[in-house]
Amino acid sequence: MRRVLTKSAALLVLIFWVAFPCLAQGDPVQLDKVDAYVVVLNDGRLNVLYTLTFTELQDGRDGITSLGPFPADHTIISASGKGPDGAFTVSLSGGPEYYKMAFERRTRKGQQYEILVRYTVDRSVFDATTYEGKSYRVIGWAPFQWSLPIVRQEIRYILPIDLPSNVEKPEDVTDEIVDATGLLVEDTSAFDRWVYFVTPDETTGKKWLSLFVAKDNLPSKAHMVPKFYLPGAAITTTRETPIP
């Protein structure tokens, strides 16, 4: 059976970046989906692909007035958009905590759009804790909050935990295999999906333990915070660790 911590077993108060990004020209739009693809490096840094999908309900807008806050140590890799007329350029200004986004083309009422932002978090986002005398690391990162409801939010974490070579498909990642990695989680009942899967690494040939979490119909200003604990051997750094 999957090993789940009770809330009383959590030995650390987590600190997350709280934000309410704003869309330009006011609301409403419908936030159809937020998708965060998060690659966790073994030094505690993150590679993040953040995708926002929305439907325009007004006469259109030419950008997002405020997206953030981003952590102090980060690098924006790219930003782009997709719509009914194809891909379009997205330009960022401001920062480093909040960015204004300008769209190459104005949105149109009734159409759906996708905004993609790829960035890295250049410092460990983990804090140290212990459980039953063993060292663990708990993640201190969550997607941005919005002042609008979200129809569906998904997060995929690619974790620096190697799985056995015979694990090929999601159904191969059994509770027994996850337990053997030492991963601990808190109550998962608040989410509509909590599924483990495998991510092959074409460069190294390794297979990484991965986690898919989803929640439907988030209210405005909702904070989706999956809580899980990695063994200290998987992540040796913390927020206080200097990283070149």
Side-chain angles (χ1 to χ4, degrees), residues 182-222:
L183 181 76
L184 300 178
V185 302
E186 288 193 18
D187 183 17
T188 63
S189 62
F191 304 96
D192 294 295
R193 296 286 307 278
W194 184 290
V195 179
Y196 299 100
F197 64 102
V198 56
T199 298
D201 189 327
E202 295 180 357
T203 302
T204 65
K206 293 185 177 181
K207 298 177 179 179
W208 304 117
L209 175 64
S210 304
L211 171 62
F212 171 78
V213 183
K215 187 171 178 61
D216 297 327
N217 301 314
L218 275 73
S220 63
K221 301 181 181 180

